[in-house]
Amino acid sequence: GAAHGIQIDVSETAKDINEKRLADYQVLLLNNANTLDKVFDEEQRGIIQAWYAKGGGIVGIHAALVRQLDWPWFHDLAGCDFDSDSDFLEARVMVDPKAKEHPTVKGHGDTFLYKADWTNHTKSVTGLEGVQVLLRVDEKSYEPVRGYFRERGGKAMGDDHPIAWTRLYAGGRFFYTELGHDVPSLDTDFGRQHIIEGIKWAAAKSS
């Protein structure tokens, strides 16, 4: 953060979420934080919702979209939930034609190969109000459902498999990426650019 002029504070306790403290921040980054209804109580969830509605930004990394159905507001904001995932594999990533100049993906070409474990969501967010898909993954370039989930009915998403998107919605800014389940999927030139620029985008005020 310091290298990019961003003050970043890290917390591992929900006790830090209160109206006074959250007011000091432009972005709340949820780092692999699944089942958030078990992390934040009803009052804290309400504080986050009110802060976001006033122009706050939320960044969700990988498992931030896992098992969030019991927080309906966040599930609605994200646009989907978790179905299954792949092993850590190299896959072909495609930049959405309308997002080529977005700072989170700019400069890496129309397509490129990248290694991560790729999440299958319950539905595609393409076309949802306020959503700009940034990246999709080509499921023909890897095995999209690992054995554990194949045995449990996990489903691939098919031709339209968004893996990163932004959303201008309900007063604030939301950025999500499937990358980041583990360090290797972020510890690259692209990974660092992708996250830092996602944070910067989320920190901007919505028009």
Side-chain angles (χ1 to χ4, degrees):
H4 296 274
I6 303 172
Q7 177 187 332
I8 298 177
D9 296 327
V10 178
S11 172
E12 294 186 350
T13 173
K15 294 177 181 178
D16 284 334
I17 297 297
N18 58 65
E19 188 172 357
K20 182 178 180 181
R21 291 204 66 177
L22 200 53
D24 291 334
Y25 295 93
Q26 295 168 270
V27 175
L28 176 64
L29 188 151
L30 302 169
N31 183 14
N32 275 298
N34 57 25
T35 56
L36 286 167
D37 65 295
K38 305 294 191 297
V39 178
F40 303 126
D41 63 26
E42 185 174 355
E43 180 181 2
Q44 290 165 328
R45 296 197 297 272
I47 288 169
I48 291 171
Q49 292 169 206
W51 166 86
Y52 174 88
K54 293 176 183 176
I58 292 178
V59 171
I61 294 179
H62 195 74
L65 296 197
V66 173
R67 313 301 186 212
Q68 306 294 11
L69 293 173
D70 289 331
W71 188 2
W73 176 87
F74 186 73
H75 176 256
D76 177 64
L77 173 64
C80 60
D81 201 75
F82 176 83
D83 176 87
S84 55
D85 63 14
S86 74
D87 288 315
F88 187 88
L89 297 170
E90 183 175 77
R92 177 174 173 261
V93 174
M94 304 168 289
V95 179
D96 187 280
K98 296 180 180 179
K100 290 181 179 179
E101 297 303 311
H102 198 282
T104 59
V105 299
K106 186 177 180 179
H108 296 271
D110 295 343
T111 68
F112 55 93
L113 296 177
Y114 205 77
K115 291 182 178 180
D117 52 336
W118 309 99
T119 301
N120 298 300
H121 304 288
T122 50
K123 67 177 183 178
S124 169
V125 297
T126 300
L128 290 183
E129 178 187 349
V131 166
Q132 168 64 69
V133 174
L134 303 171
L135 299 172
R136 292 179 174 86
V137 66
D138 179 2
E139 290 187 354
K140 294 185 289 293
S141 66
Y142 72 107
E143 174 52 60
V145 184
R146 59 186 170 99
Y148 176 87
F149 285 111
R150 282 199 303 272
E151 296 170 359
R152 290 160 175 78
K155 297 180 178 65
M157 294 183 67
D159 291 339
D160 183 22
H161 184 154
I163 61 171
W165 60 89
T166 61
R167 192 173 198 187
L168 294 170
Y169 187 68
R173 290 182 162 225
F174 178 75
F175 167 79
Y176 173 76
T177 181
E178 284 186 15
L179 305 185
H181 189 192
D182 41 35
V183 172
S185 69
L186 292 180
D187 193 17
T188 67
D189 289 343
F190 175 77
R192 287 184 285 272
Q193 170 189 333
H194 189 56
I195 295 299
I196 290 293
E197 294 298 337
I199 293 170
K200 290 180 177 179
W201 179 88
K205 289 294 184 182
S206 298
S207 57

